[in-house]
Amino acid sequence: MCGIVAAASHRPVGDLLIAGLRTLEYRGYDSAGIALQTESGLERQRIQGKVKALEDLLARHPIEGVSGIAHTRWATHGVPSDRNAHPMTSDALGLNGSNGASTLAGHQVALVHNGIIENHDELRDELSAAGHMFTSETDSEVMVHLVAQLMSEGNDLFDAVRLAVKRLHGAFAIAVVSAAEPGVVVGARLGSPMVVGLGEGEHFLASDVYPLLPVTKRFHYLEEGDVIRIDRESLRIVDADDQKVERPLKIADMDADLVQRGEYPHYMLKEIYEQPQAVAETLEGRIGPHRVLPNIFGVGADEMLQRVKQVHIVACGTSFHAGLVARYQLEWLAGVPCTVEVASEYRYRSPVVPPDTLFVTISQSGETADTLAALRHAKASGYLSTLAICNVPESSIVREADLVLMTRAGPEIGVASTKAFTTQLVALQLLVLELGRLHGQDEGAYAEAVGQLHHLPDLLNQALDLDEEFAELAQLFVDKHHALFLGRGSHFPIAMEGALKLKEISYI
Ligand code: GLU
C-alpha cells in the first residue's frame, strides 16, 4: 500500500496531484509517476526515486491536463525501476475499434495500483495469448491490459473496470483513465483503502484524506468491492453486486497535521486510542480472506522465505520485547527455530551464522543506533537475508535492510510505546504466518489464524471500551511504590513490556 491521488477537474491538476503524492510520502515508496489527459491524449511521466525526481522530470518534460492519476509505488512484484513504475499503460492494441480510440495519440488506458494481484500469472498468460504486449514485471500491468481488452469488446471505461475487478484475486485500490473518455477517472477498491473527495466542480480519488485536505473537507469512503466513476460534474458508485449505492458524506474535521492532540489530554492516550486504526492499516492490503498475500515483505521475498531454516531477531527495548513474543509464535506455529537478542550486545559479537538464517530487526524509528549498527554487522555476517520491521519509511534501517515491512502506525510522540508496539506484534505475526505456510503449517489452522487477524481492530476497540473500568482499577494502585508484572509463555515478554512502560511513565 503506497499512494494514489487522482482528479477530474476543470483546472490543470498536475501540481495538485504532485503535492498530494508528497503528503503520502510517509507511507514509503520507491518510485513515482503521473498520467494526465492532455490535449493530445494521455501522457505519462514516471521515475524510480523520489517525488522530487518526478517533479524535476516534469520540469524538463512538462505535461498538463485537467484530469489524471498519480502514484507512489512500493515494489512487490518486479524490482524498483523506471519501467516498473506506475502508471501502467496499455498501448493501442485492442482499442482500435468502434469507440474511435485509434485516432487518439499516446497511451490508451493508464492505471495506477496499490496492493497485490495474486492471479497475475494466469491473467498475463491469457492476455498475452490475446496479443497484449507486457512491458513491466509488475503484477499490476495485467489490469491495464484487461481493462483495455474489455474496452475493445465494446465496454466503456466504467464497465470495463467493473468487469475487470471481478477477475482479480488479491488486494487493490486502482485508478484508471482512458484516452477514449477524457475527463473521466474510474476507481475501485478491495483490501486497500480509497476515498472520494468532493470539490467545487471537481472530484478526486485518493488513498486517504490527507492529500486532498487542501482542496476539500468533504469525502465518501469507498467500501470493499466498490467501483466508482468520477468526472468533474458527477460521481457514480456501484457495490460488489453491481448495485448503484451512495456512501455517507463525511466532513473531515481534522487538521492536515497528523500529530495534533485533538480532544486528548496527552499524546499517549491519543496513541492508545489510535491502535485499532494503526493495526487495521498494518493489515491493509497484506491479507486476503484466508492467506497472507504474496511478497508483502518485498520483491522475491517468498522465494527467500521458503529457504529459511532459522530466524535471528535483534532489537532494543520495546522492539526487543516484540521479538521475544514472536519467538514463541515462530516456534509454536511455524516450527522455525528462533533466537532473540538485544542489539547492543549483538553488535559486539562475532556471530557464527548457520546456513539459511534470516536476520530480522525491529525498530520504531529506524534510527536506533545499536539496532542500526547490528543490522550493518549482520550484513557482513553471511545471513540469508535481512528484514526490517519499522515505522519510519525514510529511516536508515529501512534503506539498508534487504527487505522491509512497514508498521504504518503513524507518528508516535508518547514516551511509552503503544501503537508502535501493537503494530510490531501484528507485523511479526504476518511473518510467523507466512513462514508457517511455507513450512507446511496445516492449511485449516493457517486459514483460521489469518481469519482471526481480520477481527483484531474490533477486538482492540472492545478492549478500549473498558476504559472506565481500567480507570477504577487504577485507583487500587495509585499510591503503590513497587510493582511486579507476571506472565508466562508469550505473556512473559508482554509482562516485561508492561513493566517497562510503567517505569518510563511513572518512574516507579
Ligand atoms: N504490486 C504492485 C507493484 O509491485 C503495486 C505495489 C504498490 O502497492 O505500490 O508494482
Side-chain angles (χ1 to χ4, degrees):
M1 179 189 80
C2 300
I4 290 177
V5 196
S9 180
H10 49 84
R11 53 173 169 158
V13 293
D15 288 348
L16 184 156
L17 295 182
I18 298 291
L21 289 185
R22 278 193 175 283
T23 67
L24 294 171
E25 283 189 302
Y26 76 95
R27 294 163 173 245
Y29 65 103
D30 52 61
S31 30
I34 186 167
L36 292 172
Q37 181 76 51
T38 70
E39 284 181 356
S40 51
L42 279 181
E43 287 187 44
R44 161 182 73 174
Q45 293 293 2
R46 54 183 183 155
I47 192 161
Q48 182 186 351
K50 297 286 144 200
V51 175
K52 176 77 177 66
L54 179 63
E55 277 178 289
D56 293 346
L57 180 66
L58 287 166
R60 294 194 302 277
H61 306 284
I63 54 175
E64 194 47 275
V66 296
S67 62
I69 55 180
H71 185 257
T72 49
R73 173 178 189 235
W74 183 294
T76 63
H77 294 63
V79 293
S81 66
D82 292 352
R83 218 162 67 100
N84 289 334
H86 300 212
M88 295 286 134
T89 57
S90 82
D91 288 332
L93 189 126
L95 271 179
N96 301 336
S98 52
N99 56 18
S102 58
T103 57
L104 293 164
H107 307 290
Q108 306 299 328
V109 180
L111 173 146
V112 291
H113 167 222
N114 286 149
I116 290 164
I117 302 304
E118 285 185 274
N119 56 336
H120 67 100
D121 273 339
E122 172 193 320
L123 290 169
R124 185 184 283 249
D125 289 349
E126 178 187 319
L127 290 157
S128 300
H132 291 263
M133 303 278 285
F134 283 79
T135 55
S136 82
E137 299 145 6
T138 64
D139 52 339
S140 313
E141 193 183 351
V142 295
M143 288 184 281
V144 81
H145 292 291
L146 186 56
V147 170
Q149 177 65 35
L150 288 160
M151 288 187 82
S152 75
E153 291 166 12
N155 295 292
D156 66 10
L157 179 63
F158 182 71
D159 281 339
V161 172
R162 196 175 52 73
L163 295 169
V165 297
K166 295 194 193 308
R167 305 264 338 257
L168 305 175
H169 301 166
F172 52 83
I174 55 174
V176 198
V177 287
S178 165
E181 294 179 38
V184 176
V185 182
V186 175
R189 70 154 284 188
L190 189 77
S192 295
M194 182 168 265
V195 301
V196 191
L198 316 179
E200 297 299 328
E202 52 189 359
H203 288 111
F204 308 94
L205 300 176
S207 308
D208 65 36
V209 297
Y210 298 112
L212 301 182
L213 288 176
V215 284
T216 184
K217 301 275 184 278
R218 298 185 301 143
F219 297 96
H220 299 297
Y221 286 78
L222 292 187
E223 290 183 14
E224 290 292 70
D226 283 356
V227 180
I228 179 164
R229 177 194 188 279
I230 55 170
D231 57 30
R232 47 174 293 204
E233 302 288 345
S234 67
L235 71 81
R236 170 154 51 113
I237 306 175
V238 298
D239 64 13
D241 299 322
D242 297 323
Q243 298 304 310
K244 194 163 181 294
V245 281
E246 284 182 11
R247 298 299 177 205
L249 179 69
K250 299 263 191 270
I251 309 294
D253 55 5
M254 61 182 91
D255 239 66
D257 185 355
L258 273 171
V259 294
Q260 294 263 322
R261 256 195 301 118
E263 68 200 271
Y264 295 102
H266 49 77
Y267 282 112
M268 192 174 83
L269 194 61
K270 170 175 181 269
E271 289 159 10
I272 285 171
Y273 275 90
E274 282 171 350
Q275 288 177 102
Q277 179 63 22
V279 164
E281 284 191 26
T282 301
L283 291 171
E284 232 157 45
R286 290 173 170 163
I287 52 172
H290 310 297
R291 64 157 294 184
V292 176
L293 295 178
N295 288 325
I296 59 167
F297 300 97
V299 180
D302 287 8
E303 271 168 38
M304 182 280 293
L305 290 176
Q306 211 141 17
R307 285 180 50 196
V308 169
K309 295 220 171 60
Q310 52 260 307
V311 174
H312 194 175
I313 301 178
V314 176
C316 293
T318 291
S319 305
F320 170 69
H321 295 150
L324 287 174
V325 174
R327 173 168 65 186
Y328 286 89
Q329 297 169 337
L330 264 172
E331 293 179 343
W332 173 49
L333 285 171
V336 176
C338 174
T339 51
V340 189
E341 191 171 346
V342 178
S344 52
E345 285 308 314
Y346 170 83
R347 59 182 291 197
Y348 297 109
R349 287 203 295 121
S350 309
V352 179
V353 181
D356 297 325
T357 302
L358 172 66
F359 181 91
V360 177
T361 189
I362 311 160
S363 166
Q364 189 284 126
S365 67
E367 302 293 346
T368 318
D370 284 322
T371 309
L372 181 58
L375 172 63
R376 289 177 178 159
H377 195 47
K379 291 202 81 163
S381 303
Y383 286 88
L384 173 63
S385 187
T386 57
L387 166 68
I389 290 174
C390 188
N391 194 38
V392 179
E394 296 308 311
S395 61
S396 307
I397 286 175
V398 167
R399 287 200 305 271
E400 294 188 29
D402 299 330
L403 297 169
V404 175
L405 191 71
M406 299 306 306
T407 45
R408 302 180 188 152
E412 192 176 67
I413 312 287
V415 169
S417 180
T418 55
K419 57 179 182 166
F421 180 62
T422 29
T423 53
Q424 284 172 349
L425 293 176
V426 170
L428 285 161
Q429 185 70 22
L430 294 174
L431 177 66
V432 168
L433 287 172
E434 208 38 14
L435 280 171
R437 186 180 67 82
L438 296 167
H439 289 75
Q441 189 181 332
D442 169 69
E443 269 180 34
Y446 173 81
E448 194 191 321
V450 173
Q452 285 178 4
L453 280 181
H454 288 281
H455 299 300
L456 257 187
D458 273 350
L459 293 173
L460 281 162
N461 273 320
Q462 286 176 35
L464 291 172
D465 284 344
L466 299 172
D467 195 35
E468 282 178 21
E469 285 156 63
F470 295 150
E472 270 170 42
L473 285 171
Q475 296 307 318
L476 295 174
F477 302 105
V478 77
D479 56 354
K480 301 290 184 281
H481 295 287
H482 304 278
L484 180 63
F485 286 70
L486 294 175
R488 172 148 285 168
S490 60
H491 289 104
F492 169 50
I494 296 288
M496 290 163 76
E497 176 61 15
L500 175 64
K501 289 189 203 307
L502 189 69
K503 286 182 273 192
E504 284 174 334
I505 295 306
S506 66
Y507 299 101
I508 291 177

